[in-house]
Amino acid sequence: MFSPSAGLGRTVFKLFQHPSLAIVKAAGLIMKAIIEEGTPEMAKKMQDLALAEGALPRHLHTSLFTASSDNRLLTHR
């Protein structure tokens, strides 16, 4: 089973920075599965990793300040 404490959790969070939207979406689905199907302790570890990696401020910054004429990106904002 996936163990965020094994250092793989940080790797999953790094995938959120990938330029390919398909990889970002896949990382989100993996994260969702880990949280929904894992133990409460695992969900807590993933939440702690999200805070440690600064996931929310990074995503907020990207959604607010990314200038693009590609309408497909609007759903990701």
Side-chain angles (χ1 to χ4, degrees):
M1 178 173 269
F2 178 79
S3 173
S5 61
L8 295 175
R10 293 190 189 277
T11 303
V12 173
F13 278 101
K14 288 181 183 180
L15 291 175
F16 285 110
Q17 302 306 311
H18 197 277
S20 170
L21 292 178
I23 291 177
V24 172
K25 183 175 182 177
L29 291 173
I30 291 169
M31 188 70 59
K32 181 179 177 184
I34 291 169
I35 292 169
E36 289 180 352
E37 303 296 329
T39 63
E41 295 82 22
M42 188 175 294
K44 174 74 171 121
K45 286 180 184 179
M46 296 309 287
Q47 186 178 31
D48 290 343
L49 275 173
L51 292 172
E53 293 293 318
L56 180 62
R58 197 173 304 135
H59 288 292
L60 184 61
H61 181 269
T62 301
S63 66
L64 292 175
F65 298 108
T66 298
S68 175
S69 60
D70 189 354
N71 289 334
R72 294 176 297 164
L73 297 177
L74 290 175
T75 60
H76 295 282
R77 290 187 193 173

